[in-house]
Coordinates of all heavy atoms in Angstrom, one line a residue:
T305 N 8.2 -12.1 2.0 CA 9.2 -12.9 1.5 C 9.7 -12.4 0.1 O 8.8 -11.8 -0.6 CB 8.8 -14.4 1.4 OG1 10.0 -15.2 1.1 CG2 7.8 -14.7 0.3
E306 N 10.9 -12.5 -0.2 CA 11.4 -12.2 -1.5 C 11.5 -13.4 -2.4 O 12.1 -14.4 -1.9 CB 12.7 -11.5 -1.4 CG 12.5 -10.1 -0.7 CD 14.0 -9.4 -0.6 OE1 15.0 -10.1 -0.2 OE2 14.0 -8.2 -0.9
F307 N 11.0 -13.5 -3.6 CA 11.1 -14.7 -4.3 C 12.4 -14.8 -5.2 O 12.4 -14.9 -6.5 CB 9.9 -14.8 -5.3 CG 8.5 -14.7 -4.6 CD1 7.6 -13.7 -4.9 CD2 8.2 -15.7 -3.6 CE1 6.4 -13.7 -4.3 CE2 7.0 -15.7 -3.0 CZ 6.0 -14.7 -3.4
V308 N 13.5 -14.4 -4.5 CA 14.7 -14.3 -5.3 C 15.7 -15.1 -4.5 O 15.8 -15.2 -3.3 CB 15.3 -12.8 -5.1 CG1 16.3 -12.5 -6.2 CG2 14.1 -11.8 -5.3
D309 N 16.8 -15.6 -5.3 CA 17.9 -16.3 -4.7 C 18.6 -15.3 -3.6 O 18.9 -14.2 -4.0 CB 19.0 -16.7 -5.7 CG 18.6 -18.0 -6.5 OD1 17.7 -18.8 -5.8 OD2 19.0 -18.2 -7.6
G310 N 18.8 -15.8 -2.5 CA 19.5 -15.0 -1.5 C 18.6 -13.9 -0.9 O 19.2 -13.0 -0.1
G311 N 17.4 -13.9 -1.1 CA 16.5 -13.0 -0.7 C 16.0 -13.3 0.8 O 16.3 -14.3 1.2
Y312 N 15.4 -12.4 1.5 CA 14.9 -12.6 2.8 C 13.7 -13.5 2.8 O 13.0 -13.6 1.7 CB 14.8 -11.3 3.6 CG 13.7 -10.4 3.3 CD1 12.4 -10.7 3.5 CD2 13.9 -9.1 2.7 CE1 11.3 -9.9 3.3 CE2 12.9 -8.2 2.4 CZ 11.6 -8.6 2.7 OH 10.6 -7.7 2.4
G313 N 13.4 -13.9 3.9 CA 12.2 -14.8 4.1 C 11.3 -14.2 5.3 O 11.6 -13.1 5.8
M314 N 10.4 -15.1 5.8 CA 9.5 -14.6 6.8 C 10.2 -14.3 8.1 O 9.8 -13.4 8.8 CB 8.4 -15.7 7.0 CG 7.1 -15.2 7.4 SD 6.5 -13.8 6.5 CE 5.7 -13.0 7.8
K315 N 11.2 -15.0 8.4 CA 11.9 -14.8 9.7 C 12.4 -13.3 9.8 O 12.2 -12.6 10.7 CB 13.1 -15.8 9.8 CG 13.8 -15.8 11.3 CD 15.0 -16.5 11.3 CE 15.8 -16.1 12.5 NZ 16.2 -14.7 12.5
E316 N 13.1 -13.0 8.7 CA 13.7 -11.6 8.6 C 12.5 -10.6 8.5 O 12.7 -9.4 9.1 CB 14.6 -11.4 7.4 CG 15.9 -12.2 7.4 CD 15.6 -13.7 7.1 OE1 14.5 -14.1 6.6 OE2 16.6 -14.5 7.2
A317 N 11.4 -10.9 7.8 CA 10.3 -10.0 7.7 C 9.7 -9.6 9.0 O 9.3 -8.6 9.3 CB 9.3 -10.4 6.7
I318 N 9.6 -10.7 9.9 CA 9.1 -10.5 11.2 C 10.0 -9.7 12.0 O 9.6 -8.7 12.7 CB 9.0 -11.9 11.9 CG1 7.7 -12.7 11.3 CG2 8.7 -11.7 13.5 CD1 7.7 -14.1 11.8
D319 N 11.3 -9.8 11.8 CA 12.3 -9.0 12.6 C 12.2 -7.5 12.1 O 12.1 -6.6 13.1 CB 13.7 -9.5 12.3 CG 14.0 -10.7 13.1 OD1 13.2 -11.1 13.9 OD2 15.0 -11.4 12.6
F320 N 12.2 -7.2 10.8 CA 12.1 -5.8 10.5 C 10.8 -5.2 10.8 O 10.6 -4.0 11.1 CB 12.6 -5.5 9.1 CG 11.8 -6.0 7.9 CD1 10.6 -5.4 7.6 CD2 12.3 -7.0 7.0 CE1 9.8 -5.9 6.4 CE2 11.6 -7.5 5.9 CZ 10.4 -6.9 5.7
S321 N 9.7 -6.1 10.7 CA 8.3 -5.5 11.0 C 8.3 -5.2 12.5 O 7.4 -4.3 12.9 CB 7.3 -6.6 10.6 OG 7.3 -6.7 9.2
K322 N 8.9 -5.8 13.3 CA 9.0 -5.5 14.8 C 9.5 -4.1 15.0 O 8.9 -3.4 15.7 CB 9.9 -6.6 15.6 CG 9.7 -6.6 17.0 CD 10.2 -7.8 17.6 CE 9.9 -8.0 19.0 NZ 10.0 -6.9 19.9
A323 N 10.6 -3.8 14.3 CA 11.2 -2.5 14.4 C 10.2 -1.5 13.8 O 10.0 -0.4 14.5 CB 12.4 -2.4 13.6
Y324 N 9.4 -1.8 12.8 CA 8.4 -0.9 12.2 C 7.2 -0.7 13.2 O 6.7 0.3 13.3 CB 8.0 -1.4 10.8 CG 9.1 -1.3 9.8 CD1 9.1 -2.0 8.6 CD2 10.2 -0.4 9.9 CE1 10.1 -2.0 7.7 CE2 11.3 -0.4 9.0 CZ 11.1 -1.2 7.9 OH 12.1 -1.1 6.9
Q325 N 6.9 -1.8 13.8 CA 5.8 -1.8 14.8 C 6.2 -0.9 16.0 O 5.3 -0.1 16.3 CB 5.4 -3.3 15.2 CG 4.2 -3.3 16.1 CD 4.0 -4.7 16.8 OE1 5.1 -5.5 16.8 NE2 2.9 -5.0 17.2
E326 N 7.4 -1.0 16.5 CA 7.8 -0.3 17.6 C 7.9 1.2 17.1 O 7.7 2.1 18.0 CB 9.2 -0.7 18.2 CG 9.0 -1.9 19.0 CD 10.2 -2.6 19.2 OE1 11.3 -2.3 18.7 OE2 10.2 -3.9 19.8
A327 N 8.1 1.5 15.9 CA 8.2 2.9 15.4 C 6.8 3.5 15.3 O 6.7 4.8 15.2 CB 9.0 2.9 14.2

Side-chain angles (χ1 to χ4, degrees):
T305 188
E306 293 179 317
F307 303 122
V308 195
D309 279 335
Y312 71 71
M314 209 48 222
K315 186 190 164 304
E316 293 79 6
I318 288 169
D319 288 344
F320 69 70
S321 297
K322 189 164 193 314
Y324 294 158
Q325 183 186 22
E326 282 165 6

